[in-house]
Structure formats: C-alpha cells, structure tokens
C-alpha cells in the first residue's frame, strides 16, 4: 500500500506542480498520469491526501541530497559553497515543486485535514538545515549562535523570497540566493567570518 502510494505520487508530481493546489483535481491528475482515476482514488482519499504524499516524496529526495553535502564536505568553504550552489540550483530546476510546497503549507492554515503531515515535512526540512549548520560550525571549530528553529526560519525565508523573485522573472534571483546563503551561514557561526583562511570561497 505504502509503495503504491509513493509510486502514484511520483507519477503525479509534475501535473500537481503545474496546476497548484486550488486547480488540481484527482480526475485531472489521473488524466495526466499513466494511472486511471479509479486507481488514484482508491489509494488517496482526496487531492489533499495525494498532494501531501507528493510533497513528502519530493522533500525526502531533497533531504537526502543535502545530507550528501554534509557527508562530502571536508572544509567550511566546501560546505558553504556546495550548500549555496545546491539551493540556487534547486531554486531554478525545481521551482514548480517548491511553489507547490509553499502552496500546500499556506493551505494548511485553512484546512485542518493535512496540517499534521505538513508539519512533519516542515520538521524534516528543519532538521536537514540544522545538520548543515551544525556541520559548518563543527568544521569551523565553533558552535552555532542560534537554535535549529531560528536557522530554518532564516533559510526558509531567504529561499521563499528568492523563489518569488525567480518566478517573477528576475534573472538575479539565484545568484542573490547563493550570496545570501553564504552570508547567512557566517551569521549563524559568526567567528567563521573572521577566519578567512578557513572559509574563503
């Protein structure tokens, strides 16, 4: 059951990302996937259930991708640069999926039905960001100046505003996000900014 839900969600991702929460229906989603409306409806109670599963699958992929940065980086500069580049690349390459995520997160303020699932996805993203910040601090020989919720709110805000600018056609959205990400890491681990030999990029 779980595997089939994941399979159907992956197949529906692109359609959902293009339509958004308000415009998507199970029937239209099924029409743009290899699966019948009946099959989609069998595994998902409604579109909120399907969209939540779609976002969960996509965000799980994102978490694994960024966890690889933590494993591979050997210096503060490597981690800071790869994280900034990764966020900027995802902003451009996966903008429709991120738009769907913010759409879903906004909708949960009005619809109780999937609020818990959205909160769980949000928490997994917060933990992902915190692993990066902690690793950056560790590589700098320091401790983060803030907690995980603060760090996540900072990067989430930077990314969401960059996404709005990117979707508006502003060509410098990705480069600005890269610069802001590097700056934010140094603000969260302040001593790193003065250790130019360690973090110079």
């Amino acid at each position: 059951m779980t595997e089939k839900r994941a399979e159907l969600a992956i197949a529906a991702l692109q359609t959902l990302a293009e339509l958004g929460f308000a415009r998507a229906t199970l029937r239209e989603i099924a029409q743009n996937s290899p699966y019948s409306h009946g099959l989609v409806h069998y595994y998902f109670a409604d579109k909120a259930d399907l969209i939540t599963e779609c976002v969960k699958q996509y965000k799980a992929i994102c978490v694994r991708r960024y966890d690889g940065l933590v494993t591979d980086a050997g210096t503060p500069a490597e981690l800071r640069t790869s994280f900034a580049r990764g966020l900027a690349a995802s902003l451009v390459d996966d903008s429709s999926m991120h738009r769907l995520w913010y759409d879903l997160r906004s909708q949960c303020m009005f619809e109780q039905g999937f609020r818990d699932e959205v909160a769980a996805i949000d928490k997994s993203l917060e933990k992902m960001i915190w692993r990066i910040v902690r690793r950056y601090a560790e590589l700098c020989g320091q401790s983060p100046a803030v907690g995980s919720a603060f760090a996540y709110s900072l990067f989430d805000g930077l990314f969401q505003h960059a996404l709005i600018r990117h979707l508006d056609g502003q060509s410098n959205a990705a480069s600005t996000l890269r610069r802001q990400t590097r700056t934010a890491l140094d603000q969260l681990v302040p001593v790193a900014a003065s250790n130019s030999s360690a973090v110079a990029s």
Side-chain angles (χ1 to χ4, degrees), residues 21-192:
F21 184 90
R23 295 170 55 203
T25 65
L26 286 183
R27 184 173 299 280
E28 188 162 7
I29 292 166
Q31 288 174 347
N32 288 278
S33 78
Y35 305 102
S36 68
H37 175 251
L39 184 65
V40 172
H41 204 282
Y42 175 79
Y43 283 98
F44 298 98
D46 51 30
K47 72 173 183 179
D49 187 21
L50 174 56
I51 290 174
T52 302
E53 183 66 27
C54 286
V55 173
K56 184 193 303 182
Q57 293 298 322
Y58 175 73
K59 291 301 182 183
I61 294 171
C62 288
V63 168
R64 290 194 296 271
R65 181 189 306 161
Y66 288 106
D67 281 349
L69 301 180
V70 174
T71 303
D72 296 340
T75 68
E78 288 178 0
L79 181 54
R80 187 178 67 168
T81 298
S82 59
F83 180 44
R85 286 176 177 171
L87 283 182
S90 185
L91 175 75
V92 174
D93 297 339
D94 305 319
S95 58
S96 58
M97 282 307 309
H98 294 302
R99 179 176 60 184
L100 177 61
W101 159 242
Y102 286 115
D103 187 10
L104 180 64
R105 197 168 70 176
S106 296
Q107 288 294 329
C108 81
M109 290 190 287
F110 302 95
E111 300 194 28
Q112 179 68 40
F114 53 95
R115 192 171 296 170
D116 290 344
E117 289 81 0
V118 168
I121 295 170
D122 224 13
K123 193 64 179 178
S124 72
L125 296 174
E126 178 183 329
K127 290 179 178 178
M128 176 198 78
I129 292 295
W130 188 234
R131 286 191 291 272
I132 291 171
V133 172
R134 283 194 308 175
R135 178 57 177 161
Y136 185 67
E138 179 183 313
L139 289 169
C140 292
Q142 301 297 327
S143 299
V146 300
S148 63
F150 186 105
Y152 175 54
S153 297
L154 174 60
F155 284 110
D156 181 60
L158 290 175
F159 191 89
Q160 185 174 16
H161 282 88
L163 179 64
I164 292 170
R165 293 193 298 271
H166 174 68
L167 293 173
D168 191 44
Q170 298 184 33
S171 59
N172 66 339
S175 60
T176 299
L177 179 61
R178 283 197 301 271
R179 184 178 67 255
Q180 291 175 336
T181 298
R182 294 193 297 266
T183 300
L185 275 176
D186 284 340
Q187 292 295 319
L188 298 180
V189 187
V191 72

